[in-house]
Amino acid sequence: MKRIFFIDDSGPALGHMILALGAYLGGFDGNFMWNRIGAEYPCSVSVWSLRLFPAVCGALCVPVGYCVIVELGFSHVSALGASLLLLFDNALIVQSRFMLLESVVILFIMLALFTYLRFHNAPTSSPVRYCWLLLSGTSCSAAIGVKYMGVFSYLLLVGVASLHTWKLIGDMTVSGLCVFVQCVCRGVCLFVVPVLLYVFWFYVHLSLLHRSGPHDQLMSPAFQASLEGGLSRITLGQPLEVAYGSQVTLRSSASQPIPCWLHSHKANYPIRYESGRGSSHQQQVTCYPFKDVNNWWIVKNPDRADLAVGSPPRAVRHGDIIQLFHGMTSRFLNSHDVAAPMSPHAQEVSGYIDFNVSMPAQNLWRVDVVNREAESEVWKTILSEVRLVHVNTSAVLKLSGTSLPDWGFRQMEVVAEKMFRGHSSSQTWTVEEHRYGTSEEQKDREAELHSPTHIDVNRKISFWAKFLEVQWRMLTVKQEDSEHKYSSTPLEWITMETNIAYWLHPSTNAQIHLIGNPVSWGVANLSLLAYHLLASVYLLRRRRGIKDVPDAAWEQFVSLGQVCVGGWLVNFVPFVFMDKSLFLYHYLPALVFLHLLSAALLEHAHTHLLSKDTHRRVLRACACAVLACVLLSYHLFCPLTFGSPELSANQLQALKWRNSWDILYHRR
């Protein structure tokens, strides 16, 4: 709403834009600070509009679930049963009543499956079927655009579509031309369209968010300079090409999420470290996480004595040999065969001081433009990532990632490492602030280094460069991942050992919790177990030539497993291997598939496993009893789902079906 750039490692842009659309429709101006859970909303915040789209999506999951069961070939009674399980799941209701995105991603996942199954079941001669396929690809892209967990269901759909396509290729009743056209259409709708739409979501996202904000420091200097305010106010109009005599600040490409710049100051390395190793006792060179005049270096031509830019400026190119002269202390950036203080496997980097001992200066560095497009590439401000290779030892200037002790003011250690393979962000540096130096004398130069750096020149980076950088940052940057009170493990989701308290009234016992319907969750687990047991029996008996069900029923049973059991697996198993804080709501997309499975598997058992009418009547009676228990369980937990009516402490205690549930109450 404020057009301020942000980045979120939990998901891409579309989900945030959907919530922002609801805020826009409600007239929200973006002035409410979302900095405290449970804070009261002022009258100026239209809460209903902010919660509108998640609620609508949560409601639509019920009829879409109905349609999925019908498209899998099951009866409308089974579809109704699956819809009721979705409708009366307390956890799905709670998650869709707030500004949360799980209901949105679940709807798009189910829409993708429904529209693909509709395409698959439609007559081959019908051209309308390809509209369903296009909608399926669009829904896949939307699911991934809301949360990255949507990619799991997308891969499932692609796998199912691949099996169907493989069968189509082997169908000799279909002409080769028709097979080719169908394969192309499936490829375009399920691969090309989702990719294009995914890029489009970010095109809108980056077009809207053009202002600088607190997340700028996660991005490269080039990206920051493209935003209004922030770094762009400093870098706007700087010279593009680095020349001999340029005054520059060098930012480490690896300094994420906290940026740091190559730095030196009037303090020397201690003669001996605590470990007993000796040092060169020369001036410290570090990486400093704040803007400071001691971050300025002058790019000097080793063959000339002057420190100012000539006329015309002579640009520094890939492969050129330079010296880096520290503007405030007049020391050259130096390295030698002395172990670094915290990384003894690497070389020390220092500001050279001539102590008149047998340690000559070794202050020549070769510029290696990593992202060059030509061998004669010019070193460019913000745009170029460079490695500085020490000429004498072939070591590379590098941020080690280790903090120095108190004698180094807790700043980051900079070393020169001899062995390097491939590209590493810790070995590359970017010129962030840049001016053409004009002063030769030290006093004049110090005054110049304290002055602003504006020249009237403007430039921008391309959308594709910004798009790729945002993708990389979202996948690699890690927020502070401390242990959360309500974090849980995947096994605790299945056994319902965990809950999440979303809201608690400050003075009464009214509260809202993310707790599933215990009966329907138990039925879901039993259905999953029953399907695996039944599938194992079927496969063993079919291996022996015994067919317990007709081929059509077997195909339907297999399709049910591909969609529902496969949907549970792809949305559950990846979380088992994730090294991050997980919460109960991560299980909801997988749970939806088990609700669909429960109703469909019951029909399969009723139709194909029970031959006697008595047995079938008993099964129907049991199904009705279970559904009644689901409704009763839903009703019992409604006060924790909707926050009303308020319950007494004894009533809340009675609802604590698991000792591990964190249900809070005030004793009166």
Side-chain angles (χ1 to χ4, degrees):
M1 301 305 297
K2 293 282 193 178
R3 305 294 191 269
I4 294 174
F5 174 77
F6 69 95
I7 190 167
D8 188 352
D9 65 343
S10 69
L14 181 60
H16 300 293
M17 289 194 292
I18 290 174
L19 295 179
L21 176 59
Y24 174 78
L25 295 176
F28 178 59
D29 57 9
N31 286 325
F32 180 76
M33 297 298 294
W34 311 90
N35 56 2
R36 187 169 65 86
I37 295 175
E40 291 288 335
Y41 289 114
C43 297
S44 59
V45 177
S46 180
V47 178
W48 73 269
S49 68
L50 290 165
R51 296 176 175 174
L52 174 65
F53 286 106
V56 170
C57 291
L60 290 177
C61 287
V62 177
V64 175
Y66 183 102
C67 295
V68 170
I69 293 297
V70 171
E71 291 303 323
L72 284 171
F74 293 92
S75 67
H76 289 275
V77 175
S78 295
L80 179 61
S83 298
L84 290 175
L85 291 176
L86 294 172
L87 181 63
F88 294 112
D89 190 314
N90 301 72
L92 293 175
I93 294 172
V94 169
Q95 200 68 14
S96 64
R97 294 185 66 238
F98 296 99
M99 282 178 290
L100 303 170
L101 295 173
E102 277 68 30
S103 62
V104 182
V105 74
I106 289 172
L107 175 64
F108 285 133
I109 288 171
M110 296 179 70
L111 272 176
L113 289 169
F114 161 62
T115 50
Y116 175 77
L117 292 172
R118 192 65 180 266
F119 156 79
H120 178 67
N121 295 331
T124 308
S125 58
S126 173
V128 180
R129 69 193 299 255
Y130 293 103
C131 294
W132 291 111
L133 185 63
L134 183 61
L135 285 173
S136 180
T138 302
S139 300
C140 287
S141 180
I144 299 172
V146 172
K147 275 185 174 289
Y148 277 132
M149 68 169 64
V151 77
F152 303 142
S153 297
Y154 171 66
L155 294 176
L156 171 70
L157 189 145
V158 169
V160 172
S162 299
L163 291 176
H164 292 164
T165 305
W166 186 251
K167 290 181 180 179
L168 174 68
I169 294 173
D171 189 351
M172 302 309 295
T173 62
V174 183
S175 67
L177 179 61
C178 183
V179 169
F180 175 76
V181 170
Q182 290 208 42
C183 289
V184 170
C185 290
R186 294 176 193 219
V188 169
C189 292
L190 296 182
F191 291 100
V192 178
V193 169
V195 170
L196 292 178
L197 286 175
Y198 181 81
V199 173
F200 175 71
W201 310 141
F202 277 94
Y203 179 80
V204 176
H205 178 70
L206 293 174
S207 298
L208 290 173
L209 306 185
H210 55 81
R211 293 176 180 166
S212 174
H215 288 184
D216 290 10
Q217 62 181 11
L218 298 171
M219 312 308 291
S220 69
F223 193 106
Q224 294 182 52
S226 69
L227 301 173
E228 294 179 7
L231 182 63
S232 66
R233 290 181 299 180
I234 301 173
T235 60
L236 179 65
Q238 292 183 155
L240 176 62
E241 297 183 349
V242 177
Y244 290 108
S246 286
Q247 299 170 355
V248 300
T249 63
L250 291 165
R251 171 173 162 163
S252 171
S253 301
S255 51
Q256 305 293 349
I258 301 175
C260 74
W261 293 265
L262 190 66
H263 176 93
S264 189
H265 44 245
K266 290 184 177 180
N268 296 356
Y269 290 111
I271 297 176
R272 288 199 175 275
Y273 303 122
E274 293 180 357
S275 63
R277 292 187 295 108
S279 78
S280 65
H281 195 50
Q282 295 192 4
Q283 185 167 297
Q284 297 174 16
V285 171
T286 64
C287 206
Y288 189 54
F290 300 99
K291 298 285 188 181
D292 189 89
V293 71
N294 282 316
N295 297 343
W296 284 95
W297 299 81
I298 299 173
V299 180
K300 181 181 177 299
N301 187 342
D303 299 327
R304 297 178 62 89
D306 52 288
L307 295 173
V309 174
S311 182
R314 180 187 167 192
V316 179
R317 299 181 180 273
H318 169 73
D320 284 356
I321 305 299
I322 65 169
Q323 292 173 309
L324 285 175
F325 184 82
H326 191 245
M328 298 301 294
T329 63
S330 301
R331 303 295 183 191
F332 284 102
L333 185 70
N334 187 79
S335 186
H336 36 225
D337 193 15
V338 174
M342 310 305 295
S343 306
H345 62 279
Q347 293 177 189
E348 177 190 88
V349 174
S350 63
Y352 183 73
I353 303 174
D354 188 1
F355 287 120
N356 198 23
V357 295
S358 57
M359 187 176 286
Q362 300 181 30
N363 53 28
L364 299 179
W365 301 84
R366 187 177 73 252
V367 176
D368 180 9
V369 181
V370 176
N371 58 342
R372 62 186 180 276
E373 297 179 356
E375 289 304 311
S376 59
E377 181 85 15
V378 173
W379 186 3
K380 296 176 182 175
T381 306
I382 292 178
L383 303 179
S384 295
E385 293 184 359
V386 302
R387 271 194 298 235
L388 295 172
V389 183
H390 191 233
V391 172
N392 297 81
T393 63
S394 297
V396 178
L397 190 71
K398 175 183 176 181
L399 176 67
S400 73
T402 306
S403 296
L404 295 171
D406 290 338
W407 55 258
F409 310 101
R410 298 291 174 181
Q411 297 175 18
M412 302 299 291
E413 181 191 40
V414 173
V415 301
E417 197 167 67
K418 289 185 179 180
M419 299 300 295
F420 65 94
R421 296 179 182 177
H423 173 68
S424 171
S425 59
S426 62
Q427 298 171 342
T428 56
W429 303 81
T430 303
V431 171
E432 188 170 273
E433 297 180 67
H434 177 209
R435 66 159 66 84
Y436 283 162
T438 59
S439 303
E440 291 286 354
E441 297 298 326
Q442 178 67 19
K443 288 185 178 180
D444 296 338
R445 188 164 58 247
E446 290 182 8
E448 187 176 14
L449 291 174
H450 280 94
S451 65
T453 58
H454 286 237
I455 300 175
D456 292 329
V457 181
N458 193 11
R459 59 185 176 277
K460 295 181 179 180
I461 61 172
S462 68
F463 160 73
W464 288 107
K466 296 174 72 173
F467 170 77
L468 293 174
E469 182 174 348
V470 168
Q471 304 311 301
W472 178 250
R473 294 303 181 208
M474 286 196 302
L475 292 173
T476 57
V477 70
K478 286 189 176 182
Q479 308 292 347
E480 292 295 328
D481 205 17
S482 58
E483 188 69 21
H484 193 281
K485 177 180 180 180
Y486 292 110
S487 62
S488 53
T489 64
L491 183 60
E492 290 175 324
W493 305 340
I494 298 177
T495 58
M496 293 194 69
E497 293 283 346
T498 183
N499 71 305
I500 303 177
Y502 275 176
W503 174 77
L504 175 66
H505 194 279
S507 59
T508 72
N509 283 330
Q511 54 194 284
I512 295 176
H513 288 258
L514 183 67
I515 296 179
N517 186 316
V519 177
S520 64
W521 283 44
V523 170
N525 292 337
L526 289 175
S527 299
L528 180 64
L529 179 61
Y531 185 91
H532 282 92
L533 292 175
L534 191 56
S536 300
V537 172
Y538 279 162
L539 288 171
L540 289 173
R541 289 173 63 83
R542 289 176 77 88
R543 187 64 177 170
R544 298 294 298 171
I546 304 171
K547 295 185 177 181
D548 297 290
V549 294
D551 288 340
W554 171 250
E555 290 292 333
Q556 185 188 53
F557 182 80
V558 171
S559 296
L560 177 65
Q562 290 173 347
V563 173
C564 294
V565 178
W568 179 84
L569 286 172
V570 299
N571 284 286
F572 175 77
V573 174
F575 290 106
V576 176
F577 302 99
M578 286 187 184
D579 183 22
K580 60 178 290 186
S581 293
L582 300 174
F583 300 91
L584 181 59
Y585 53 75
H586 287 124
Y587 184 57
L588 297 182
L591 177 71
V592 166
F593 287 97
L594 292 189
H595 286 331
L596 301 182
L597 175 67
S598 300
L601 190 60
L602 184 66
E603 179 181 334
H604 177 85
H606 180 274
T607 306
H608 301 289
L609 298 184
L610 303 179
S611 56
K612 294 183 179 181
D613 290 339
T614 304
H615 294 165
R616 290 181 175 179
R617 283 196 294 270
V618 170
L619 182 62
R620 288 196 292 268
C622 291
C624 291
V626 169
L627 186 58
C629 291
V630 169
L631 295 174
L632 178 60
S633 176
Y634 160 77
H635 178 72
L636 286 174
F637 284 92
C638 268
L640 300 182
T641 301
F642 297 97
S644 64
E646 178 196 352
L647 300 181
S648 66
N650 291 334
Q651 289 173 317
L652 288 171
Q653 189 67 30
L655 286 180
K656 193 172 181 179
W657 288 13
R658 304 300 296 263
N659 291 330
S660 56
W661 288 357
D662 185 26
I663 296 179
L664 310 172
Y665 50 85
H666 300 278
R667 290 194 179 275
R668 298 178 181 176

